[in-house]
Amino acid sequence: MAAPMSTAPAIMNAPSALPPPLSDAVRRDIATPAGRLALWSAGDGPPMLLVHSINAAASAYEVRPVFERMCRTHRVYAPDLPGFGASERGDRHYDVAMYVAAVEASLEAIGADCGPVAVDVLALSLSSEFAARVAAARPERVRTLAMVTPTGLDRRSASLRAPPGTDREVPGMFRIVSFPLWSQGLFDALVSRRSVRYFLGRTWGSKAIDEGLFEYSWTAAHQPGARFAPLAFLSARLFSKDIRDVYERLAMPVWVPHGTRGDFRDFSGADWTAARPNWRLQPFESGALPHFEHPDAFEAAYRAFVASR
């Protein structure tokens, strides 16, 4: 993991040209050790934090179905993570520590609004690893943890026991993909309309993707500075090599809803969770984002999980 980040206030970007990712949500920008974060919120009630995934075109739009349903009964927050959406997108060193700091900063902002109460946290895909790190280190801040189609539970799970803080960056990969002569062209190819539709189809395991997410993802990936964080993702720097140990330290209730179609359906390395009474895996007949394909069933299951605490 890289050296500790400066805690100095981040330089603010110009206002984003993106439309809001979440309907009826209020945006505020917060200066954090991870840079300027756009934090969206709506609703009243117990606090809840929803964290989108990491990919070439990520944004808070990815949690939209959950956000819009849960804000009827909860005070719901959703950040655009560093390098994505309306948050700071500068040419910086994006690593695991930065994204953990972003989740922590979001919880601190919630604490300033709602007091020192534990928060129900939901994260998607790779961001589940960041949320799990925060939950393992600060269990008093996380009431429940829902990880939607998380990484680190596939057939390679047992090998993810490296020294704390070790990432899975492929040596030399970032230097290759970020080389100035071709980095923008490479990224542009990854986020063409055809490519965004293709990769969402792989995520869905079907051509019947959510068209709203498709359009927003394409738009989000064509903002100034959009390539920097995804290039770190392509190098595998944002994946933790010790995540199995982190997951095993989780003591709060953990719910893992996941799909059975598409590229992200391998949970063969999760057998060990059956012996952990605080863990529950739940398959949905869907791709990796079951809350888009089965929003009502997902909401009912999530509400039952949160209420069971």
Side-chain angles (χ1 to χ4, degrees):
M1 206 176 283
M5 296 173 295
S6 169
T7 58
I11 297 174
M12 300 297 178
N13 287 353
S16 172
L18 275 173
L22 306 164
S23 61
D24 299 322
V26 175
R27 169 185 165 181
R28 64 172 165 165
D29 288 1
I30 56 176
T32 80
R36 179 186 55 77
L37 292 186
L39 185 64
W40 306 89
S41 61
D44 292 298
M48 179 174 286
L49 175 65
L50 310 179
V51 187
H52 69 74
S53 74
I54 304 291
N55 57 70
S59 74
Y61 195 106
E62 295 175 352
V63 300
R64 184 177 177 122
V66 186
F67 187 99
E68 293 182 346
R69 284 164 171 78
M70 298 307 295
C71 71
R72 299 167 188 162
T73 54
H74 288 69
R75 178 69 174 167
V76 186
Y77 297 79
D80 278 320
L81 291 175
F84 297 102
S87 289
E88 186 175 344
R89 291 179 180 243
D91 185 1
R92 303 178 287 160
H93 183 84
Y94 294 89
D95 60 10
V96 172
M98 178 181 286
Y99 289 97
V100 170
V103 175
E104 290 177 330
S106 298
L107 287 174
E108 291 300 323
I110 294 171
D113 287 352
C114 304
V117 297
V119 178
D120 294 302
V121 178
L122 178 146
L124 308 184
S125 191
L126 175 57
S127 292
S128 298
E129 296 191 13
F130 313 138
R133 282 195 176 280
V134 175
R138 302 186 62 189
E140 76 284 356
R141 297 294 289 121
V142 179
R143 181 177 177 272
T144 64
L145 178 60
M147 302 192 296
V148 183
T149 314
T151 52
L153 290 175
D154 61 12
R155 64 186 181 279
R156 297 167 292 182
S157 169
S159 67
L160 300 178
R161 294 187 180 279
T166 309
D167 64 44
R168 296 164 63 183
E169 182 172 3
V170 178
M173 179 61 74
F174 182 77
R175 186 178 303 167
I176 293 171
V177 298
S178 64
F179 194 72
L181 286 179
W182 56 70
S183 63
Q184 186 64 59
L186 170 64
F187 183 71
D188 289 344
L190 285 173
V191 295
S192 69
R193 291 184 70 85
R194 176 176 291 185
S195 291
V196 172
R197 184 172 292 278
Y198 170 77
F199 285 115
L200 282 176
R202 298 282 296 266
T203 299
W204 249 256
S206 165
K207 293 183 178 181
I209 64 173
D210 184 270
E211 292 297 328
L213 177 60
F214 165 70
E215 292 292 346
Y216 198 91
S217 297
W218 184 85
T219 303
H222 288 81
Q223 303 301 305
R227 76 182 187 275
F228 297 121
L231 294 180
F233 169 71
L234 286 177
S235 75
R237 181 192 298 159
L238 306 184
F239 293 82
S240 294
K241 204 169 183 178
D242 63 335
I243 198 62
R244 172 68 177 268
D245 292 330
V246 174
Y247 284 162
E248 289 185 357
R249 294 204 305 271
L250 296 174
M252 69 288 298
V254 179
W255 180 49
V256 182
H258 63 88
T260 58
R261 297 195 316 264
D263 285 1
F264 309 103
R265 63 182 186 274
D266 178 10
F267 286 83
S268 58
D271 290 351
W272 61 271
T273 65
R276 303 292 178 106
N278 62 314
W279 281 72
R280 182 165 68 89
L281 274 65
Q282 182 174 351
F284 283 79
E285 292 299 321
S286 71
L289 301 176
H291 52 293
F292 275 93
E293 296 188 61
H294 304 291
D296 294 335
F298 187 96
E299 176 192 359
Y302 187 39
R303 287 188 181 278
F305 167 68
V306 170
S308 68
R309 174 68 164 85

